């Protein structure tokens, strides 16, 4: 690695208000070395973040293509376009690939890896070699799943419910199960790295309540990684043993209970939904103050809400099983606790809105994505409460209402936050500015395409159309065609960023150290940052988000 | 099937409980709008009002932030809890059937439903029930997890293998509504639906006595023909299995291995299904067909034979 | 972090080489220990799921579980527990010696720990062999199963194999890592550079022992 | 050394209880003994009591979360 900072770099470190001049090319982490070995055997958290970015983008394309097949098949009610079996394999691949190979690693593994050391003023994560191992474990798991996809696909749905997945499905279930088990370890290693780094490697003066909310939410996400993933690893090990050696624990013929698998599965899978949501909230909590040039409203409440969410989410998994033969007592308990989970999310949404109040807004692309996020995430969250109400659940469980609900959270929430974050930190990651007009066009396309695709599905849901149906009664065709049409607009919206962002790598304007006048240690260093992140030891501001316009803060007077 | 307009925006409700569920949904929608519309309006208004460069009063005051935080955390929570209570009350009510309810046995198996009425009649995929009388459906599954979903009654319950779960309702409106399987159960999960026909008491008794006979056995037989796997071999779906085509078998002369030729009547087909090794075909290869004795119930066997009788006209059988 | 080094004749100074991105030694030691505990947290939850399955089986089929548990080799299990407790003792001894800087004695203790672990695996292998003879391996399709008339016993016995196999896998990798560590630890000047490895490895070994301490009663003793 | 002997003694108690099964609900006592042994190993052998509070927290959180998994799942199985 080249020396930490050149002469003029030190001058910048002494006087914080002059943004450090853009270091000349060879000094930043992208151009310090360019051999293949330096990329595939790197221990630099920034390069590992880019490795993850490349692999999850590839998997996003695979998942999106599978979604395209699903929407194509549903244009006609009688399944003339696609056989039932192909449709089942398409929606299973869409589920497995999107959940485990895109959504879960998307924000933590790319932005988390890249930004957490920068934001807390550290040189790297606590265990750099472990970080690289987590990428290779991710790719191994991905390999197994791709083998299952290539050989003939899986037709059990991403939930792999026994006894269908263990005894009655004769598709390539085993490689898919092994793939998902292995990719679970990649999440555990990433989570472990983050928890230890955030606890032990903060720069001097960086106390917990000076950390950006992005770091708080990733700390909460890492807790969920550590506490939830092992249980699904075991559930899948038991499923593999059940399918390969006929262990019988989930096989009703010997007295095993398939509902036990559902308990173990959902103990992980509901917190996994919060693994997808919390990093999105972190990104939005960085974008909104930056583009409103105003301090985040109620910083401490948002921080506590992140940790609160990470703990309460472990008490609610039963709301996926109200009608699956669960005892009435359990259903009552899980329903009541599910209502408590909605509170921390509501806190965050109202805090973002209050931050925008009396700010000085710049409606660039990241802010458009953030505002889209707030709107769609609120809708997604509250439709979740519909499903948590016992009587309503009996009507809309396993219908398109559920499909619409979780797409509003995952696509309307996490994907918009991912794209917003991608645009917000693109100058910091690549040292180039993306083209602003194209950014806004793609944000608009995605927002419109998303709503046209998924809002009709709410209506289909309470009309009673079950999910995972290859053929459906003709009276639902109109809304399904509308939804499929919307999905084409959404697909177009996704293609734009892939084009103009890559284009900006060579032709984009050079980005200064802090293009958005944002606060946070990652903006104090150059874009792209030097291999060891900071020229000298970074100076930690007294107050996080100390933007010129100070909002109400509990008893803290504003500068 | 009741022709609904292409854009019906609200499903028909056929029981008092269904109407009450609708009230919960509508009430909760009102609350959701109360909680979210202000957020949407606020964001768009603030985005325009406080844009960079717009001069606006951006002074801030300190006092109320903790109070605001607590209020917009607890007020929505308490409001939503009311709906939790209401929903729970209705849910518990739907789990405790009255003692005098009429019991219908339902069995789900891969890709068809079979309903057994208390008076003995059974039907495949379709269900005829009386209104104004509590009905209890006891459900189990013979293979994977299915779920009986009656949207018109706003009810669904899982069909678990080797376990009986139940649901009850008291319909109050006649008509034909949809019936689905709502737990993913494999390839033809979406074919496993049918019609729930609710009739007055008199019509139901009338249907029970003789209406049952006209029920199209061909569709039911076809469902059985597929579900028990006959289609797999006899329609040539499974490669490498030499099984005689069954289209037009009924009434045809059949040459047996021991030289006799007999006409394939209902008894012959029934005996062949129950015991395939008896009077083997002439020149037939290795006998691969499993015996269905004890597997197929007598009433299903009648339907299967009825279906085979009717296949002489249509080679593929009545495709629903 | 641990007690300061009081040694009658400190054989050599004991310390840790600091990786680039850590500011102080203590920070690196704390990060390593804390990192291992975070990993052990996930392992604990992995086995917690298994113990939950055992508990649910006990609730659903009490008599079948008791019948199946009757066939488990209670005394070999007890002996194995003693073996692992001894290995835990020798591991703690190795850690204390590494703090005092007595390298040769420490390497001896590490080898003792590894051999006790191997003894555990051998006893477990014998137990599996005895079960095979008694036709108590239901997951083998070809072999007839001894308690076939009670299908629910099959569940518990299979779960027993899954649980003990998973534990044995952890033990096996533990011994492999331990042998590599011992080979490195026997190099001169090891303790100046990597004394922390011994401490962190000790945590992992004690944890495997802890899992068996819980597994033995839950599988063997409680269901008798 | 003292911890080793304490663990051996507790193990002996459990084995004795297992072999003789003095009374019906003996599994309650046996699980209690296991809990004590686990606590000794975590606190003494793994020296958690001399670790900073953060490590102690993470040592305890694991057992607490396992309790959540057990507790909520039992609300289903015990009330079926």
């Amino acid at each position: 690695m080249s020396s930490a900072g050149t002469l003029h770099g030190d001058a910048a470190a002494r006087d914080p208000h002059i943004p450090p001049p853009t270091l000349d090319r060879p000094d930043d982490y992208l151009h310090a070395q360019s051999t293949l070995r330096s990329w595939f055997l790197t221990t630099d958290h920034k390069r590992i973040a880019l490795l993850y970015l490349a692999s999850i983008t590839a998997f996003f394309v695979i998942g999106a293509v599978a979604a395209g097949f699903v929407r194509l098949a549903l244009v006609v009610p009688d399944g003339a376009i696609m056989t039932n079996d192909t449709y089942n394999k398409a929606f299973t691949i869409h589920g497995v690939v999107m959940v485990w190979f895109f959504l879960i690693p998307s924000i933590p593994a790319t932005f988390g890896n890249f930004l957490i050391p920068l934001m807390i003023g550290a040189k790297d994560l606590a265990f750099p070699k472990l970080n690289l191992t987590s990428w290779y474990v991710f790719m191994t798991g991905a390999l197994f799943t791709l083998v299952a996809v290539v050989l003939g696909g899986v037709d059990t749905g991403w939930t792999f419910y026994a006894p269908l997945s263990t005894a009655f499905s004769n598709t390539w279930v085993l490689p898919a199960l092994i793939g998902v088990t292995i990719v679970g370890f990649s999440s555990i290693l990433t989570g472990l790295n983050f928890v230890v780094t955030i606890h032990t490697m903060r720069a001097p003066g960086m106390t917990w309540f000076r950390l950006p909310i992005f770091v708080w939410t990733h700390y909460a996400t890492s807790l969920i990684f550590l506490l939830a993933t092992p249980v699904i690893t075991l559930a899948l090990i038991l499923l593999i043993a059940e399918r390969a050696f006929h262990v019988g624990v989930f096989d009703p013929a010997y007295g095993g209970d398939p509902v036990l698998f559902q308990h173990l599965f959902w103990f992980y899978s509901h917190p996994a939904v919060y693994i997808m949501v919390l990093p999105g909230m972190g990104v939005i909590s960085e974008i909104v103050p930056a583009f409103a040039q105003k301090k985040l409203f109620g910083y401490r409440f948002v921080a506590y809400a992140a940790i609160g969410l990470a703990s309460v989410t472990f008490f609610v998994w039963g709301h996926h099983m109200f009608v699956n033969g669960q005892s009435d007592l359990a259903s009552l308990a899980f329903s009541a606790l599910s209502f408590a989970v909605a509170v921390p999310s509501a806190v965050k949404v109202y805090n973002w809105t209050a931050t925008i109040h009396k700010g000085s807004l710049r409606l660039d692309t990241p802010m458009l994505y953030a505002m889209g996020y707030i709107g769609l995430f609120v809708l997604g969250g509250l439709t979740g409460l519909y499903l948590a109400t016992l009587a309503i659940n009996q009507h809309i469980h396993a219908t398109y209402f559920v499909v619409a609900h979780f797409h509003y959270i995952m696509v309307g929430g996490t994907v918009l936050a991912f794209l917003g974050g991608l645009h917000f930190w693109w100058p910091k990651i690549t040292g180039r500015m993306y083209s602003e007009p194209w950014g806004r066009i793609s944000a608009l396309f995605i927002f419109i395409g998303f709503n046209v695709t998924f809002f009709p599905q709410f209506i289909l849901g309470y009309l009673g159309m079950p999910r995972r149906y290859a053929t459906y009664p003709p009276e639902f065709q109109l809304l399904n065609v509308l939804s499929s049409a919307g999905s084409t607009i959404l697909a177009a919206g996704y293609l734009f960023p892939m084009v103009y962002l890559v284009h900006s790598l060579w032709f984009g304007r050079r980005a200064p150290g802090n293009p958005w006048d944002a606060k946070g240690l990652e903006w104090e260093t150059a874009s792209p940052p030097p291999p060891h992140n900071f020229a000298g030891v970074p100076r930690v501001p007294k107050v996080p988000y100390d933007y010129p316009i100070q909002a109400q803060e509990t008893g803290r007077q504003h500068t | 099937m009741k022709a609904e307009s292409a854009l019906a925006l609200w499903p028909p409700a056929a029981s008092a409980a269904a109407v009450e569920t609708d009230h919960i949904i509508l009430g909760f929608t009102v609350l959701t709008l109360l909680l979210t519309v202000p957020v949407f309006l606020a964001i768009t208004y603030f985005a325009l009002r406080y844009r960079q460069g717009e001069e606006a009063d951006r002074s801030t005051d300190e006092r109320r932030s903790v109070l605001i935080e607590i209020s917009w955390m607890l007020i929505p929570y308490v409001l939503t809890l009311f709906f939790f209570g209401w929903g729970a009350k209705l849910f518990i009510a739907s789990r405790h059937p009255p003692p005098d309810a009429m019991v219908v046995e339902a069995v789900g198996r891969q890709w068809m439903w079979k309903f057994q009425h208390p008076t003995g009649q059974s039907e495949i995929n379709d269900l005829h029930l009386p209104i104004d009388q509590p009905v209890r459906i006891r459900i189990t599954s013979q293979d994977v997890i299915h779920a009986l979903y009656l949207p018109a009654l706003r009810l669904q319950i899982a069909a678990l293998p080797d376990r009986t779960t139940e649901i009850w309702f008291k319909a109050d409106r006649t008509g034909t509504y949809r019936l689905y399987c709502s737990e993913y159960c494999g390839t033809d999960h979406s074919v496993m639906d049918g019609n729930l026909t609710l009739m007055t008491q008199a019509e139901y008794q009338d249907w029970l006595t003789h209406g049952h006979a006209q029920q199209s056995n061909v569709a039911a037989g076809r469902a059985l023909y597929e579900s028990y796997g006959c289609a797999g071999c006899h329609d040539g779906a499974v490669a490498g299995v030499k099984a005689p085509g069954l289209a037009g078998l009924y009434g045809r002369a059949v040459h047996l291995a021991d030289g006799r030729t007999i006409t394939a009547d209902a008894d012959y087909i029934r005996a062949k299904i129950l015991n395939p090794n008896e009077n083997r075909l002439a020149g037939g290869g290795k006998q691969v067909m499993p015996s269905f004795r004890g597997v197929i119930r007598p009433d299903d066997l009648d339907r299967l034979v009825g279906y085979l009788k009717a296949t002489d006209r249509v080679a593929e059988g009545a495709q629903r | 972090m641990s007690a300061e080094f009081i040694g009658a004749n400190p054989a050599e100074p004991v310390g840790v080489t600091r990786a680039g991105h850590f500011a102080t030694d203590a920070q690196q030691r704390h990060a390593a220990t804390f990192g291992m505990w975070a990993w052990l947290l996930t392992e604990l939850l992995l086995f917690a799921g298994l113990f939950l399955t055992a508990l649910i089986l006990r609730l659903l089929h009490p008599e079948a579980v008791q019948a199946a548990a009757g066939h488990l080799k209670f005394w070999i299990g007890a002996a194995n527990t003693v073996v692992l407790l001894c290995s835990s003792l020798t591991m703690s001894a190795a850690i204390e010696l590494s703090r005092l800087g007595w390298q040769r004695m420490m390497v001896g203790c590490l080898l003792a720990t590894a051999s006790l672990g191997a003894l555990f695996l051998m006893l477990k292998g014998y137990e599996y062999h005895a079960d095979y003879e008694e036709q108590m391996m239901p997951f083998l399709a070809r072999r007839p199963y001894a308690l076939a008339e009670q299908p629910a016993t099959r569940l518990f016995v299979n779960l027993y194999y899954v649980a003990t196999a998973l534990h044995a896998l952890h033990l096996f990798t533990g011994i492999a890592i331990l042998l590599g560590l011992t080979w490195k630890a026997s190099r001169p000047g090891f303790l100046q550079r990597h004394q922390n490895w011994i401490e962190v490895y000790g945590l992992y070994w004690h944890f495997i022992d802890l899992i068996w301490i819980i597994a033995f009663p839950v599988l063997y003793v409680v269901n008798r | 050394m003292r911890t080793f002997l304490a663990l051996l003694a507790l193990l002996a108690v459990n084995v004795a209880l297992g072999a003789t099964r003095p009374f019906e609900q003996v599994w309650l006592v046996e699980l209690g003994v296991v809990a004590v042994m686990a606590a000794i190993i975590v606190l003494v052998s793994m020296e958690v009591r001399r670790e900073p509070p953060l490590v102690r927290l993470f040592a305890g959180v694991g057992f607490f979360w396992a309790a959540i998994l057990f507790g909520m799942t039992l609300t289903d199985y015990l009330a079926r």
Side-chain angles (χ1 to χ4, degrees):
Chain A
M1 289 298 176
S2 69
S3 67
T6 55
L7 181 62
H8 51 273
D10 298 338
R14 267 196 302 285
D15 178 356
H17 291 301
I18 306 172
T22 312
L23 296 171
D24 40 31
R25 280 302 97 199
D27 254 3
D28 60 64
Y29 79 100
L30 276 177
H31 302 90
Q33 289 174 316
S34 51
T35 63
L36 214 53
R37 241 176 74 83
S38 75
W39 275 98
F40 284 102
L41 294 178
T42 174
T43 56
D44 178 358
H45 65 100
K46 299 183 282 300
R47 288 193 167 208
I48 293 172
L50 291 184
L51 290 177
Y52 265 112
L53 182 62
S55 15
I56 59 158
T57 310
F59 272 100
F60 179 77
V61 169
I62 296 173
V65 164
F69 277 110
V70 168
R71 278 317 328 160
L72 179 69
L74 290 176
V75 168
V76 287
D78 54 6
I81 293 178
M82 201 180 287
T83 64
N84 290 359
D85 193 42
T86 319
Y87 172 82
N88 293 341
K89 287 176 180 169
F91 80 70
T92 302
I93 295 164
H94 175 66
V96 169
V97 166
M98 278 306 199
V99 166
W100 280 300
F101 293 98
F102 173 69
L103 276 169
I104 286 183
S106 66
I107 297 179
T110 46
F111 302 133
N113 262 330
F114 193 95
L115 291 167
I116 287 185
L118 283 169
M119 284 183 172
I120 62 173
K123 289 194 173 64
D124 203 320
L125 286 175
F127 311 115
K129 295 196 200 61
L130 207 64
N131 203 9
L132 183 65
T133 320
S134 90
W135 186 71
Y136 278 102
V137 166
F138 177 82
M139 292 314 284
T140 322
L143 188 73
F144 274 95
T145 311
L146 283 181
V147 160
V149 167
V150 165
L151 287 179
V154 192
D155 76 341
T156 59
W158 79 281
T159 42
F160 296 115
Y161 271 11
L164 173 64
S165 60
T166 52
F168 288 88
S169 166
N170 43 33
T171 53
W172 297 91
V173 180
L174 264 184
L177 287 179
I178 296 169
V180 173
T181 312
I182 293 173
V183 85
F185 286 106
S186 158
S187 311
I188 290 178
L189 294 181
T190 308
L192 188 141
N193 233 323
F194 286 170
V195 163
V196 174
T197 306
I198 295 171
H199 267 295
T200 60
M201 298 186 61
R202 281 170 278 131
M206 178 62 86
T207 64
W208 275 90
F209 287 109
R210 290 187 188 147
L211 285 172
I213 289 295
F214 185 86
V215 177
W216 275 92
T217 47
H218 276 80
Y219 181 72
T221 311
S222 307
L223 284 182
I224 302 179
F225 274 142
L226 289 179
L227 292 166
T229 319
V231 176
I232 190 162
T233 309
L234 176 87
L236 294 174
I237 288 171
L238 284 176
L239 213 56
I240 293 167
E242 173 84 32
R243 188 172 169 85
F245 306 108
H246 206 56
V247 158
V249 175
F250 304 135
D251 177 5
Y254 295 124
D257 182 6
V259 178
L260 178 59
F261 170 75
Q262 291 175 21
H263 276 295
L264 291 173
F265 178 83
W266 288 112
F267 178 85
Y268 161 78
S269 294
H270 186 80
V273 171
Y274 285 92
I275 289 176
M276 303 171 203
V277 160
L278 273 166
M281 289 177 172
V283 169
I284 299 305
S285 304
E286 295 303 315
I287 292 177
V288 168
F291 286 87
Q293 283 297 308
K294 181 164 168 252
K295 192 175 169 44
L296 180 67
F297 182 87
Y299 167 90
R300 284 184 181 244
F301 279 93
V302 177
Y304 289 137
I307 303 297
L309 217 50
S311 24
V312 177
T313 178
F314 280 94
F315 291 86
V316 295
W317 80 79
H319 58 230
H320 297 275
M321 301 158 58
F322 286 152
V323 289
N324 279 11
Q326 196 174 229
S327 76
D328 294 351
L329 171 70
S331 298
L332 281 172
F334 281 122
S335 175
L337 289 163
S338 298
F339 274 83
V341 158
V343 169
S345 318
V347 164
K348 286 188 194 273
V349 166
Y350 290 124
N351 279 343
W352 292 323
T353 318
T355 310
I356 295 177
H357 171 58
K358 291 198 177 180
S360 106
L361 272 297
R362 278 199 320 269
L363 297 181
D364 296 335
T365 315
M367 192 54 176
L368 289 183
Y369 278 118
M371 285 164 60
Y373 173 97
I374 296 176
L376 300 180
F377 179 73
V378 164
L379 207 55
L382 285 169
T383 45
L385 281 181
Y386 277 76
L387 288 158
T389 315
L390 286 162
I392 305 180
N393 190 282
Q394 269 190 324
H395 173 45
I396 51 175
H397 174 70
T399 64
Y400 263 83
F401 194 95
V402 176
V403 173
H405 158 66
F406 66 69
H407 277 94
Y408 261 78
I409 298 269
M410 293 189 196
V411 182
T414 305
V415 172
L416 285 198
F418 175 73
L419 289 171
L422 194 61
H423 287 79
F424 182 53
W425 284 299
W426 189 257
K428 183 54 67 178
I429 294 174
T430 63
R432 298 282 176 151
M433 288 303 286
Y434 61 88
S435 104
E436 192 54 45
W438 274 110
R440 292 183 183 164
I441 293 169
S442 74
L444 207 62
F445 259 75
I446 287 179
F447 188 80
I448 295 168
F450 171 81
N451 278 304
V452 173
T453 308
F454 290 109
F455 197 80
Q457 290 183 1
F458 275 129
I459 305 169
L460 279 173
Y462 66 72
L463 281 180
M465 175 178 173
R467 60 188 282 210
R468 295 174 170 172
Y469 254 39
T471 60
Y472 53 85
E475 64 258 27
F476 294 135
Q477 180 170 18
L478 183 83
L479 290 171
N480 269 299
V481 167
L482 187 64
S483 182
S484 295
S487 69
T488 49
I489 305 170
L490 191 57
Y494 286 142
L495 284 181
F496 287 135
M498 292 186 189
V499 173
Y500 67 76
L501 283 180
V502 171
H503 175 271
S504 79
L505 283 179
W506 288 278
F507 304 103
R509 280 183 295 107
R510 288 241 187 281
N514 191 348
W516 315 109
D517 299 333
K519 298 300 172 198
L521 283 185
E522 78 270 24
W523 301 109
E524 304 297 331
T525 180
S527 311
H532 276 301
N533 294 351
F534 294 96
V537 177
R539 195 189 55 73
V540 175
K542 286 281 167 297
V543 169
Y545 306 104
D546 54 356
Y547 286 95
I549 303 167
Q550 287 307 304
Q552 303 91 317
E553 193 43 66
T554 48
R556 188 82 54 86
Q557 34 111 346
H558 51 90
T559 51
Chain B
M1 190 165 45
K2 191 158 75 65
E4 280 149 3
S5 73
L7 198 56
L9 281 182
W10 199 258
S15 74
V19 171
E20 191 172 358
T21 310
D22 291 352
H23 291 158
I24 297 183
I25 293 179
L26 290 177
F28 203 75
T29 309
V30 167
L31 178 67
T32 314
L33 293 179
L34 277 179
L35 295 177
T36 50
V37 166
V39 171
F40 296 147
L41 296 182
I43 290 178
T44 29
Y45 172 70
F46 292 156
L48 301 175
R49 177 78 176 71
Y50 293 103
R51 215 150 162 182
Q52 194 160 41
E54 303 270 340
E55 70 299 321
D57 157 28
R58 288 193 171 87
S59 64
T60 58
D61 49 25
E62 302 311 311
R63 292 178 323 289
R64 293 175 281 89
S65 86
V66 175
L67 190 65
I68 297 176
E69 289 280 359
I70 301 286
S71 62
W72 69 34
M73 196 155 46
L74 288 187
I75 294 173
Y77 180 54
V78 169
L79 288 175
T80 48
L81 271 191
F82 164 75
F83 286 95
F84 157 71
W86 187 1
K89 179 179 73 58
L90 198 57
F91 175 78
I92 294 297
S94 85
R95 285 303 176 95
H96 299 295
D100 64 344
M102 169 180 108
V103 178
V104 172
E105 298 288 338
V107 173
R109 56 179 280 118
Q110 261 181 328
W111 306 310
M112 72 167 213
W113 288 106
K114 181 154 180 279
F115 299 103
Q116 183 85 27
H117 289 269
T119 52
Q121 286 90 342
S122 67
E123 47 185 333
I124 302 277
N125 279 347
D126 293 332
L127 181 57
H128 295 75
L129 286 174
I131 60 170
D132 299 338
Q133 182 200 346
V135 172
R136 189 154 62 110
I137 302 185
R138 291 165 47 79
I139 299 160
T140 185
S141 156
Q142 289 179 338
D143 36 45
V144 293
I145 298 178
H146 303 273
L148 183 63
Y149 176 32
L150 311 170
L153 301 165
R154 310 288 188 271
L155 288 175
Q156 64 184 296
I157 185 72
L160 295 165
D162 288 352
R163 196 171 134 209
T164 307
T165 49
E166 64 181 41
I167 199 84
W168 82 279
F169 54 84
K170 182 150 102 68
D172 59 10
R173 227 177 76 167
T174 61
T176 306
Y177 307 102
R178 285 263 163 219
L179 166 147
Y180 299 106
C181 167
S182 67
E183 183 56 58
Y184 179 65
C185 57
T187 311
D188 282 351
H189 163 59
S190 47
V191 175
M192 215 174 141
D193 59 357
N195 294 323
L196 168 71
T197 314
L198 296 172
M199 306 179 281
T200 59
Q201 195 66 343
E203 280 168 5
Y204 178 64
Q205 294 307 339
D206 172 43
W207 175 80
L208 272 182
T209 48
H210 43 71
H212 176 58
Q214 309 123 8
Q215 195 231 356
S216 90
N217 271 341
V218 175
R222 176 72 200 176
L224 286 163
Y225 184 78
E226 280 165 8
S227 178
Y228 281 101
C230 324
C233 301
H234 289 289
D235 289 1
V238 176
V241 170
K242 201 169 66 56
L246 298 179
L249 168 67
Y250 186 75
R252 206 174 54 200
V254 174
H255 310 292
L256 299 185
D258 53 15
R260 288 182 296 127
T261 19
I262 57 169
T263 55
D265 56 9
D267 299 339
Y268 165 78
I269 296 174
R270 194 186 308 277
K272 201 66 167 129
I273 293 175
L274 291 183
N275 182 1
N277 296 327
E278 185 204 328
N279 47 42
R280 302 157 73 88
L281 292 177
K286 196 164 64 59
Q287 184 59 293
V288 172
M289 175 164 169
S291 153
F292 283 87
R293 183 180 304 284
V295 173
I296 294 191
R297 309 243 314 240
D299 53 357
D300 289 347
L301 196 54
D302 301 343
R303 280 200 195 86
L304 202 54
V305 173
Y307 164 68
L308 288 177
K309 250 190 248 172
T311 55
D312 48 4
R313 290 186 313 287
V314 177
E316 207 34 54
Q319 190 64 2
R320 195 183 15 209
Chain C
M1 188 195 52
S2 52
E4 66 288 80
F5 310 131
I6 41 104
N9 51 2
E12 311 91 22
V14 168
V16 167
T17 49
R18 184 152 40 83
H21 53 284
F22 280 109
T24 67
D25 277 6
Q27 185 189 21
Q28 180 168 340
R29 278 179 186 276
H30 177 54
T33 312
F34 179 44
M36 176 50 88
W37 264 106
W39 171 255
L40 295 182
L41 176 79
T42 60
E43 294 280 359
L44 179 74
L45 278 159
L46 184 75
F47 283 97
L50 262 179
F51 296 136
L52 173 73
T53 316
L55 175 66
I56 299 295
L57 282 186
R58 174 66 196 259
L59 288 175
L60 293 179
H61 307 286
E63 69 300 330
V65 164
Q66 260 161 351
H71 281 260
L72 296 183
K73 313 292 173 291
F74 180 75
W75 293 104
I76 299 182
N80 260 343
T81 316
V82 172
V83 163
L84 269 195
L85 279 181
C86 300
S87 73
S88 199
L89 175 70
T90 50
M91 190 67 220
S92 298
I95 294 173
E96 280 310 315
L97 289 169
S98 73
R99 288 186 186 138
L100 300 173
W102 295 343
Q103 187 172 7
R104 266 186 48 277
M105 291 264 291
M106 176 195 74
V107 168
C109 285
L110 288 178
L111 286 178
T113 312
S115 49
L116 283 166
L119 176 63
F120 176 93
L121 285 180
M122 275 184 291
L123 279 173
K124 180 53 73 183
Y126 172 72
E127 219 179 318
Y128 281 169
H129 173 68
D131 286 343
Y132 181 80
E133 292 307 326
E134 277 179 35
Q135 294 172 353
M136 276 293 288
M137 281 203 173
F139 57 86
L140 296 180
R142 308 173 257 88
R143 273 187 79 79
Y145 169 48
L147 301 170
E149 73 290 350
Q150 274 185 309
T153 54
R154 188 183 285 263
L155 304 188
F156 180 78
V157 175
N158 281 337
L159 185 75
Y160 159 78
Y161 285 118
V162 170
T164 44
L166 197 60
H167 177 265
L169 174 72
H170 278 82
L171 195 60
F172 185 76
T173 41
I175 295 173
I177 296 169
L178 183 57
L179 292 180
L181 187 67
T182 316
W183 182 76
K184 271 206 159 73
S186 53
R187 298 266 74 71
F190 170 82
L191 282 181
Q192 284 83 358
R193 295 193 310 285
H194 300 299
Q195 188 270 342
N196 200 25
W197 289 0
I198 309 285
E199 307 246 354
V200 169
Y201 183 81
L203 289 178
Y204 178 74
W205 189 267
H206 286 305
F207 183 80
I208 304 178
D209 181 22
L210 172 68
I211 288 297
W212 178 258
I213 293 287
I214 300 173
F216 170 62
V218 164
L219 292 175
Y220 291 74
V221 177
V222 163
N223 299 323
R224 277 176 66 79
Chain D
M1 183 44 97
R2 274 182 297 100
T3 51
F4 172 68
L5 296 180
L7 288 171
L8 270 188
L10 286 167
L11 176 67
V13 164
N14 246 349
V15 166
L17 284 176
T20 55
R21 294 198 61 72
F23 49 92
E24 186 41 42
Q25 294 306 6
V26 76
W27 58 273
L28 266 174
V29 176
E30 283 162 352
L31 289 187
V33 168
V34 165
V36 170
M37 287 170 79
I40 290 176
I41 289 183
V42 168
L43 294 178
V44 179
S45 308
M46 297 167 112
E47 294 162 355
V48 160
R49 55 187 164 81
R50 277 192 269 116
E51 294 281 356
L54 183 67
V55 174
R56 274 207 296 270
L57 172 75
F58 266 67
V61 153
F63 292 97
F64 179 70
W65 244 255
I68 297 174
L69 175 64
F70 277 66
M72 297 300 284
T73 314
L74 286 181
T75 61
D76 177 16
Y77 280 96
L78 294 183
R80 248 182 217 175

